[in-house]
Amino acid sequence: AELWKVNPAGVASLVADIGPGSDGSSPAYLTVFNNELYFQATTAASGAELWKVDSAGTKFLVADLRTGTGSSSPAYLTVFNNALYFRADNGTNGAELWKVDAAGNPSLVADIGAGSSSPAYLTVFNGQLYLQAATTAHGAELWKVDPEGNADRVTDINPGAGSSSPAHLTVFNGELYFQADNGERGAELWKVSAAGTAERLTDINPGSRAASPAYLTVFNGELYFQADDGAADGAEDAEGAELWKINAAGATSLVADINPGAGDSYPAYLTVVGDKLYFQARDDRHGAELWMLTTLGAASRV
C-alpha cells in the first residue's frame, strides 16, 4: 500500500515507495499544505509519522515525533492559520494537538488532557479551529483553539464526566453542525452558531435512541447526511438509516428511502462532484453500490 496518483488523462502512476520492497507505508490523511502534500506513512525504521511529497514527487519525513520505531500516528490533518494542525502522540504527552508551520517546524500546540485528549474532527470555523477533545473532568466534548494556540472548551453537552463525543463537524450556512450525545437523547444533530451558542436540532430518532447523523456534506445549498429515524427499534413510520438533509431555513427532511420500509441503505462517503452528490448506498436487490443525487433531488443507482 503506497502513494499513487492519477493524471488528467486517467493514467495512474506510483509517486513514492516509502516502505521499500513489499513493505507498505499505508499513506493516510492526505492534505495539501504550503503547495506540498502531507500525510501519515509507516516505515519499519520510524513507525507511523508525518511525511510530505513536494511538486517534483520527492518524499520527505517531516518529523519523527515519537523517535525510533514508535509511532506518533499523525491524524486529522487540517490547515489553519498558515500551519498544518494534527493529532499526534510523541510518547510523552499522549495524543494531543500538534502543528507544523510554513517552515516545516513541528510543535505541540496544546496539552489539553491528562494522558491523551485525543483531538479529532479538526474543523476551521469562524476564525478558530474546532475539535473533539477529552479530559477526565468533562469527557469528550467540543473544544476550540484560537490563532494564538489557546485552547478552550466550547460547551459541556453531556454534563460532568460524561462524553457527548462531537463528531463529523461540518460548516453550513454560517454555523457549525455536528453529531453529539447529551446523555438523554442519544447521538443527534447539534450546531454552534457564530456567537458560540450550542443547541440540539430535530430529534430524528425520538426519545433516547440515537439517529447517529454521519457523513455531513454540503450540497446545493443544503446539508446532507446519513441518519436513522428508528425503524430498527420498531418506531412507527420509520425508514431506518437513510439519506436526510437540512435546508437553509433549518428544516429537516428525509431525502430518499433507498432501501424501502424498515431496511437500512446506510448512505456513506458523500462526495460532491460538479452538480451531483455521489455516495455509497445499499438496497435488497443490489447490495452496496454507487448512487447519486441530482440538484433536483432525484436519487438513482449509478
Side-chain angles (χ1 to χ4, degrees):
E2 292 294 349
L3 186 64
W4 286 70
K5 68 178 181 181
V6 175
N7 67 17
V11 178
S13 60
L14 178 67
V15 176
D17 189 8
I18 295 172
S22 60
D23 291 339
S25 69
S26 302
Y29 302 103
L30 279 65
T31 304
V32 175
F33 168 61
N34 206 23
N35 295 318
E36 296 177 311
L37 181 66
Y38 285 72
F39 52 96
Q40 175 195 124
T42 304
T43 65
S46 303
E49 295 292 346
L50 188 64
W51 286 71
K52 70 177 181 179
V53 169
D54 64 17
S55 57
T58 305
K59 62 182 185 292
F60 301 90
L61 174 62
V62 178
D64 190 4
L65 295 180
R66 192 163 187 168
T67 55
T69 58
S71 297
S72 71
S73 303
Y76 298 103
L77 279 63
T78 303
V79 177
F80 169 62
N81 193 38
N82 198 33
L84 181 68
Y85 286 70
F86 54 96
R87 178 178 80 193
D89 185 347
N90 66 352
T92 301
N93 301 91
E96 295 293 345
L97 187 64
W98 286 72
K99 73 175 181 180
V100 168
D101 64 20
N105 302 308
S107 60
L108 177 66
V109 177
D111 192 353
I112 295 172
S116 296
S117 69
S118 301
Y121 302 103
L122 279 63
T123 304
V124 178
F125 170 62
N126 201 28
Q128 302 190 82
L129 183 66
Y130 283 72
L131 58 142
Q132 176 195 125
T135 63
T136 302
H138 298 283
E141 295 291 344
L142 188 65
W143 284 69
K144 66 180 179 180
V145 174
D146 65 21
E148 286 72 43
N150 301 306
D152 294 292
R153 184 168 47 84
V154 177
T155 181
D156 194 4
I157 291 175
N158 194 338
S163 295
S164 70
S165 302
H168 305 288
L169 280 63
T170 304
V171 178
F172 168 63
N173 204 27
E175 298 177 306
L176 181 67
Y177 287 73
F178 55 96
Q179 173 197 124
D181 183 350
N182 67 353
E184 299 177 354
R185 296 286 184 174
E188 293 288 346
L189 197 61
W190 287 68
K191 72 175 182 179
V192 169
S193 68
T197 304
E199 65 175 293
R200 181 177 56 81
L201 303 177
T202 304
D203 193 359
I204 294 173
N205 197 338
S208 61
R209 298 184 297 268
S212 301
Y215 303 103
L216 280 65
T217 304
V218 178
F219 169 63
N220 195 32
E222 298 178 309
L223 182 65
Y224 287 76
F225 54 95
Q226 175 196 126
D228 185 347
D229 63 354
D233 301 308
E236 185 178 357
D237 298 327
E239 288 82 13
E242 295 290 348
L243 188 64
W244 288 70
K245 72 175 181 180
I246 291 179
N247 64 19
T252 305
S253 61
L254 175 69
V255 177
D257 189 7
I258 293 173
N259 197 350
D264 302 289
S265 72
Y266 297 114
Y269 310 109
L270 280 64
T271 304
V272 177
V273 181
D275 62 349
K276 295 181 177 63
L277 177 67
Y278 289 82
F279 54 97
Q280 176 194 109
R282 174 184 299 274
D283 65 19
D284 288 338
R285 292 184 57 198
H286 304 99
E289 296 291 347
L290 185 64
W291 285 69
M292 71 175 183
L293 184 79
T294 67
T295 54
L296 298 178
S300 61
R301 184 167 50 82
V302 177

